[in-house]
Amino acid sequence: MIQIRIHGRGGQGVVTAAELLALAAFQDGKASQAFPSFGSERTGAPVTAFCRIDSQPIRSREPVYHPDVLLIQDSTLLHQVEVFGGLTAPAIVLINSTRNVEALHLTDFVTQHPGVQMYTLPASDLAMKHVGRPFANIGMVAGYAALTGEVTKASVNKAIKDKFSGGMGGLNVAVAAEVYDYVAANMTKV
Amino acid sequence: MKKQIEGSQAVAHVVALCRPEVMACYPISPQTHIVETLSRKVKAGEVGNCQFLNVESEFGALSVLIGASAMGARTYTATTSQGLLFMAEAVYNAAGLGLPIVMTIANRALGAPINIWNDHSDSMSMRDSGWIQLYAEDNQEAVDLHIQAFRLAEELSCPVMVCMDGYILTHAYESVDLPTQEQVDAYVPAFEPVQVLDPQDPVSIGAMVGPEAYAEVRYLAHHKHVRALEAIPRLSQAFQDIFQRPSGGLLDPYETEGAETILLALGSVNGTIKDAVDDLRKEGWPVGSVALRSFRPFPSHVLRHVVQDAKRIIVIEKDLAMGKGGIVSSDVKMALRGLPIIVDTVIAGLGGRPIPKTSVIDTVKRACLEGLEEPHFLDLNWEAINRELTRQQEQRRSGPTPENLLREMGVPGAKPV
Amino acid sequence: MSYQRVKFYQTGTFTVGNRLLDESDRTVQAGMDRTNSLDSGHRACQGCGEALGARYALDAVMRATHRQMVAVNATGCLEVFSSPYPESAWQIPWLHSLFGNAPAVASGVAAALRAKGKTDIRVIAQGGDGATVDIGFGCLSGMFERNDDVLYVCYDNEAYMNTGVQRSGSTPPRAWTNTTQAVGTDPGNPMGVGKNLPRIAMAHGIPYVATASVADLHDLEAKVTKSMAIRGARYIHIHVPCPLGWKSDPAHTIKVARLAVESGLFPLFEAEGGHVTDRTRIRNKVPVERYLELQGRFNHLLHPRDESALGAIQAMADANINLYQLLSSEA
């Protein structure tokens, strides 16, 4: 089972990100589950969402305490919320930022946690380019797919089209495509 | 057809297929997605001639359905927590009048203190109202139980509550096999009321009944629940025949064969419990679990039969009877009286506190090795409690307890999940 | 005016001639074929104004709907005295649910009829002032704002009578009840409190609102009949004396009701879409004391005389006369 935890702020589409991952996994023929950590959500407040993917039915209902994958949609959370809580190697961390791990002051963290692979991805910028709004969620989902192959790009694209109707679907698929290229060009796959 | 879908959406989809004629809804978290989706379906003309009323309160909602059901219409609504309490008078009234209303309870804690997260205190408060109470373990079950609920309610002329954990199930996005209209039509026949308002054949419904007959009327209502003990498994079998998957029934045993210790719970925590059972079994612990589907009527005989060879039943319940302890565990103890079985009460998950698998495993081990105090509170912050008790003893005007505790525990949201 | 009012002037007798009217102008109650929706054998007190009001109203509805109607009743005197287990005085389909939900239950009945395409069957909701003005107020307002096709009839005897005469939001100023007793410096119900449900109904903009009295049968029946020709939320507020709670002579029920109208304290009017459209003029205005003196619940205002209170009550009556032009001969 893969356990994914997504951190962001209310209004950034964190729950949608979790659902896209779950939907993509479903299209891939896997069992998947997505749900938010139900807080008094309001725009701007820290929110968390979870996604589990497995080859057999998922029965667990607890929050993800020990994520295998951390997607951090808003880097301002890094030193405000305990986003890394429960992170156990081997694990992947993907952070939405134009800066690299060093510029985010996380090199020490990486050194202290062998088995944790940390990446940054300018997901908001890539979204701005195509959609005109800095919704990083699409990019983060696509980035995860591209890095790990745990969900296929084809399923991610289909999930995007299912969730976003009309023109928006097409634009978001373009964002995903750009992210796939970016990852291929700039990052070593897991 | 399997679809990855939010629990609320799945329930709304299926309720619409059951051909309700009148729905009256008042919004309350976490049920809102259900009623929003149903209102859209009705407005879009997807639910035949169904009438959807936006009402002024939950009390109004159930009252509207009382009138509509008495007029011979198939009726549905959804609520939770404070809303269920607000309609409490109507809840008892509907059951007493024998109206086959179906209602979703998106289980949520009761205030004060106000809390929007999941536990079972709301439906527990109505456990003696005369409504049948069914609890769903996952969203597939939630969907299937609604279909069975309409048929069960109308067969017995008794209202049915389908309970699904608020947020944990309503807002969970997972795979559900959604039935077709044909399948639902094959399972749920047209509503034929036992009593109906009809100008051609006038009757008075809702008369006062004095000491000379009230007890008999109440016994007959209780008798419907006795009949439900037979009807629920039968309807579950009929469901399997049409929908080609097992669903419903009074309870669901898991790995109880040869189990010395059996966990028992209602609702979604059974998923986590099954994982815990598997882990414990791998370590050599003879553990099993029972998921109770029907809480009212309480399936005493069937439960007794399933667990009679166990040494210990650990009841994990998301409710707390003030001044007493367990509610479900009390019913379990009654059902098992005379048998040499220890029944532990574990109060867990109140107000939406997560129940981690590790806590379940630790509790089972502790129960078997040392025994548990009665009741046992899972994962309670005893330090914070004791500090508050000291504070209250030292100063008369110690202030609102929630404020003190929240201050102790820091700003919510800044802590890890 | 919905009908041509015919005035009979006869002295020395109370048998005023329905017999002198053309059959088509006679009241429903005068007909041999009246439905007796609320049949005899019910357990109302001697002189109960509500029993009268309910029979008048429902028989008129039965005629207007060709007997295609369903009634929803709130808990209260009417519900209790009409359905003493194991008997029922109702000749119509009748549903009693709770104290506070009659308007909502009626909305539900109407919704079911719409769902089944049986909208020729009409729905009446009825209750006393307690159920209407207080505990059922939320549901009533909801029914109004949704404009559900329900006629709500309130039988206003100005207190919670079935539970032993306690004050409601409809209890008039200075009246004694068991929870506003005639003791202390401010005996009886305080001045300046209470709800005017007809005007609140009007504020919802519903198609039809009217007040009526058991003292004027023609007027009451005409209003009920007119309301049944309209679809949507409608409200009729009927003044019904309660000899027990008002401490009046059971033989005076109609007289007391008439004096309430003739003093101006209970104005008879109609409103559509939130605006007053017509009123029933006062034939012989009487000072409020003629009305108050027949009721023991106002004893403390007359013995000894409380001029200030009487003056205030007279002022209320005069204000109504002005507002609704109850004495004016112009429309």
Side-chain angles (χ1 to χ4, degrees):
Chain A
M1 187 196 294
I2 303 166
Q3 302 199 82
I4 305 164
R5 194 165 75 208
I6 311 176
H7 290 273
R9 293 185 183 276
Q12 290 177 343
V14 170
V15 177
T16 305
E19 291 182 356
L20 281 171
L21 283 169
L23 189 53
F26 173 74
Q27 320 272 29
D28 284 342
K30 304 230 179 93
S32 61
Q33 177 197 75
F35 57 101
S37 96
F38 321 94
S40 312
E41 279 121 15
R42 59 194 189 285
T43 310
V47 297
T48 313
F50 311 102
C51 176
R52 289 188 169 98
I53 298 173
D54 204 351
S55 49
Q56 50 214 6
I58 299 166
R59 298 180 301 201
S60 174
R61 292 291 168 191
E62 61 189 60
V64 172
Y65 293 115
H66 303 290
D68 306 301
V69 179
L70 263 183
L71 303 180
I72 298 168
Q73 268 183 223
D74 189 320
S75 54
T76 65
L77 291 171
L78 281 171
H79 303 288
Q80 252 192 40
V81 174
E82 283 191 46
V83 293
F84 298 114
L87 189 63
T88 19
I92 302 159
V93 178
L94 181 61
I95 303 171
N96 171 33
S97 181
T98 48
R99 292 179 280 166
N100 61 16
V101 174
E102 195 191 323
L104 287 171
H105 309 292
L106 289 172
T107 353
D108 280 351
F109 181 91
V110 176
T111 324
Q112 284 157 18
H113 293 83
V116 171
Q117 290 167 282
M118 192 177 286
Y119 305 88
T120 66
L121 174 71
S124 296
D125 282 21
L126 292 169
M128 274 301 282
K129 221 173 113 179
H130 289 270
V131 178
R133 281 179 285 170
F135 272 96
N137 54 357
I138 304 293
M140 298 298 278
V141 169
Y144 170 70
L147 272 173
T148 66
E150 296 286 4
V151 287
T152 64
K153 292 180 196 168
S155 290
V156 169
N157 290 345
K158 184 159 191 309
I160 289 171
K161 291 212 207 89
D162 273 349
K163 277 242 169 244
F164 298 93
S165 55
M168 204 58 199
L171 290 173
N172 280 327
V173 168
V175 171
E178 177 125 9
V179 168
Y180 301 145
D181 290 342
Y182 181 94
V183 169
N186 299 295
M187 293 154 85
T188 348
K189 295 203 191 161
V190 173
Chain B
M1 193 187 78
K2 269 196 192 280
K3 197 164 177 207
Q4 188 81 1
I5 187 172
E6 188 197 58
S8 303
Q9 302 294 334
V11 167
H13 177 91
V14 141
V15 166
L17 292 179
C18 291
R19 304 191 187 274
E21 293 174 273
V22 177
M23 299 192 282
C25 301
Y26 189 83
I28 178 169
S29 304
Q31 142 273 42
T32 47
H33 293 181
I34 300 176
V35 302
E36 287 165 5
T37 304
L38 283 169
S39 83
R40 192 185 68 237
K41 283 176 176 289
V42 169
K43 215 161 165 62
E46 294 166 20
V47 197
N49 215 22
C50 181
Q51 303 290 307
F52 185 98
L53 282 78
N54 280 305
V55 287
E56 65 286 348
S57 76
E58 288 90 350
F59 178 66
L62 192 56
S63 297
V64 166
L65 297 191
I66 286 169
S69 188
M71 200 64 226
R74 177 170 291 161
T75 52
Y76 169 84
T77 190
T79 194
T80 183
S81 181
Q82 311 304 126
L84 182 58
L85 285 190
F86 200 77
M87 57 158 72
E89 208 192 354
V91 170
Y92 274 76
N93 187 254
L97 291 175
L99 297 170
I101 300 168
V102 171
M103 174 158 69
T104 307
I105 303 297
N107 290 110
R108 169 185 141 179
L110 287 175
I114 185 167
N115 173 298
I116 61 167
W117 293 272
N118 162 257
D119 76 24
H120 291 161
S121 51
D122 55 359
S123 52
M124 283 300 153
S125 75
M126 295 293 121
R127 66 189 183 274
D128 299 328
S129 63
W131 284 60
I132 289 171
Q133 285 195 354
L134 305 174
Y135 286 77
E137 180 175 333
D138 52 34
N139 284 327
Q140 183 67 65
E141 188 110 78
V143 157
D144 295 345
L145 286 177
H146 280 90
I147 302 170
Q148 293 174 54
F150 281 102
R151 183 161 155 181
L152 180 66
E154 289 171 14
E155 184 179 300
L156 295 172
S157 249
C158 180
V160 177
M161 267 181 218
V162 179
C163 301
M164 62 191 292
D165 287 325
Y167 289 120
I168 297 178
L169 290 184
T170 55
H171 287 58
Y173 191 72
E174 58 193 42
S175 169
V176 176
D177 194 346
L178 295 174
T180 63
Q181 181 69 72
E182 289 70 39
Q183 285 174 312
V184 174
D185 287 343
Y187 185 81
V188 188
F191 175 29
E192 271 188 56
V194 157
Q195 58 185 338
V196 71
L197 298 166
D198 181 356
Q200 308 308 322
D201 184 13
V203 288
S204 297
I205 300 176
M208 174 181 282
V209 176
E212 58 284 331
Y214 180 87
E216 283 72 22
V217 173
R218 296 306 279 152
Y219 178 82
L220 287 166
H222 164 71
H223 193 255
K224 288 183 185 174
H225 280 242
V226 173
R227 297 205 319 267
L229 286 170
E230 177 276 326
I232 288 169
R234 174 168 43 83
L235 262 49
S236 165
Q237 183 56 57
F239 187 92
Q240 182 160 358
D241 293 342
I242 291 175
F243 296 83
Q244 306 295 307
R245 61 172 174 277
S247 173
L250 294 168
L251 50 82
D252 178 28
Y254 181 74
E255 297 282 343
T256 50
E257 199 76 33
E260 286 182 9
T261 302
I262 297 181
L263 292 146
L264 184 145
L266 276 57
S268 65
V269 73
N270 279 293
T272 302
I273 287 175
K274 287 183 165 107
D275 281 353
V277 165
D278 283 354
D279 284 6
L280 283 161
R281 281 252 176 200
K282 281 198 196 97
E283 288 182 41
W285 295 78
V287 179
S289 72
V290 167
L292 221 55
R293 295 272 178 271
S294 170
F295 180 65
R296 284 295 184 267
F298 192 83
S300 298
H301 293 302
V302 175
L303 178 64
R304 201 179 163 98
H305 178 76
V306 165
V307 307
Q308 63 191 354
D309 296 326
K311 296 206 175 87
R312 177 186 298 268
I313 310 293
I314 302 176
V315 176
I316 298 182
E317 51 184 300
K318 291 178 173 177
D319 54 67
L320 174 59
M322 293 295 153
K324 178 175 176 286
I327 297 173
V328 180
S329 65
S330 291
D331 287 357
V332 170
K333 283 176 188 165
M334 263 284 283
L336 303 183
R337 67 191 180 285
L339 292 172
I341 303 180
I342 299 167
V343 179
D344 290 312
T345 310
V346 176
I347 307 293
L350 296 183
R353 179 161 300 174
I355 303 177
K357 183 181 67 171
T358 47
S359 295
V360 174
I361 290 171
D362 288 347
T363 304
V364 171
K365 290 180 177 170
R366 197 167 127 191
C368 294
L369 297 173
E370 301 166 18
L372 293 176
E373 67 280 15
E374 170 64 34
H376 174 74
F377 290 89
L378 191 79
D379 296 343
L380 212 61
N381 185 334
W382 290 106
E383 278 178 35
I385 285 174
N386 288 326
R387 274 200 293 276
E388 173 64 9
L389 287 172
T390 308
R391 204 176 359 247
Q392 287 175 6
Q393 273 168 358
E394 284 172 354
Q395 196 187 349
R396 174 70 188 172
R397 199 162 174 180
S398 54
T401 300
E403 191 171 309
N404 295 340
L405 282 175
L406 284 171
R407 233 184 247 132
E408 276 222 19
M409 289 166 181
V411 177
K415 297 190 79 81
V417 169
Chain C
M1 208 76 263
S2 325
Y3 66 99
Q4 176 58 55
R5 200 177 180 74
V6 178
K7 297 169 190 175
F8 294 98
Y9 295 90
Q10 280 185 265
T11 57
T13 170
F14 289 112
T15 48
V16 175
N18 261 324
R19 285 170 291 154
L20 302 178
L21 282 174
D22 188 84
E23 263 199 60
S24 60
D25 291 333
R26 295 183 199 174
T27 59
V28 172
Q29 290 302 310
M32 293 294 288
D33 59 351
R34 74 168 189 237
T35 44
N36 261 343
S37 310
L38 177 66
D39 213 344
S40 58
H42 61 72
R43 311 294 206 258
C45 299
Q46 185 183 50
C48 172
E50 185 162 350
L52 215 51
R55 179 159 56 86
Y56 288 172
L58 293 172
D59 281 349
V61 171
M62 286 289 266
R63 184 179 68 173
T65 63
H66 307 288
R67 306 177 179 221
Q68 298 299 298
M69 71 98 109
V70 170
V72 174
N73 220 129
T75 308
C77 264
L78 178 60
E79 167 261 326
V80 169
F81 71 61
S82 65
S83 60
Y85 182 85
E87 301 164 43
S88 172
W90 296 106
Q91 301 288 350
I92 53 175
W94 181 86
L95 174 63
H96 162 240
S97 174
L98 296 167
F99 196 12
N101 71 358
V105 174
S107 292
V109 174
L113 289 165
R114 279 198 305 278
K116 293 176 183 296
K118 289 187 184 169
T119 49
D120 54 322
I121 300 176
R122 310 298 297 283
V123 185
I124 309 304
Q126 52 185 10
D129 50 289
T132 308
V133 163
D134 290 341
I135 197 170
F137 189 64
C139 289
L140 185 66
S141 179
M143 186 271 275
F144 285 164
E145 71 84 3
R146 285 189 304 270
N147 201 26
D148 290 327
D149 187 23
V150 172
L151 166 64
Y152 190 99
V153 181
C154 173
Y155 305 106
D156 186 5
N157 55 24
E158 301 180 339
Y160 291 93
M161 296 307 188
N162 194 244
T163 42
V165 194
Q166 295 89 20
R167 183 252 185 219
S168 81
S170 206
T171 302
R174 309 315 302 270
W176 163 92
T177 67
N178 269 316
T179 49
T180 55
Q181 300 212 15
V183 294
T185 52
D186 189 21
N189 197 35
M191 292 287 308
V193 298
K195 296 184 206 178
N196 185 323
L197 226 309
R199 291 207 78 88
I200 292 171
M202 282 165 60
H204 284 74
I206 57 177
Y208 184 76
V209 174
T211 59
S213 169
V214 289
D216 195 333
L217 177 58
H218 284 269
D219 182 78
L220 189 159
E221 286 188 357
K223 284 165 175 170
V224 171
T225 306
K226 177 170 174 178
S227 79
M228 292 314 295
I230 300 169
R231 293 258 170 191
R234 294 146 285 137
Y235 180 77
I236 298 182
H237 191 104
I238 308 181
H239 201 217
V240 295
C242 167
L244 186 100
W246 296 18
K247 298 185 177 173
S248 57
D249 190 327
H252 286 169
T253 292
I254 302 291
K255 179 171 180 171
V256 166
R258 182 170 299 116
L259 287 168
V261 172
E262 300 282 293
S263 66
L265 278 176
F266 192 85
L268 296 180
F269 63 90
E270 294 171 284
E272 293 179 47
H275 304 286
V276 175
T277 49
D278 209 341
R279 79 286 188 226
T280 306
R281 250 151 285 153
I282 292 172
R283 189 156 72 87
N284 287 321
K285 178 174 173 285
V286 300
V288 296
E289 279 175 53
R290 296 288 84 72
Y291 168 65
L292 300 174
E293 68 197 4
L294 289 181
Q295 306 164 62
R297 63 178 176 155
F298 292 113
N299 253 351
H300 53 285
L301 300 184
L302 296 166
H303 308 287
R305 290 180 64 85
D306 182 337
E307 294 300 344
S308 158
L310 292 169
I313 295 172
Q314 185 62 60
M316 284 169 51
D318 293 339
N320 279 343
I321 290 170
N322 273 339
L323 178 62
Y324 298 101
Q325 296 173 51
L326 297 173
L327 290 176
S328 163
S329 51
E330 303 112 46

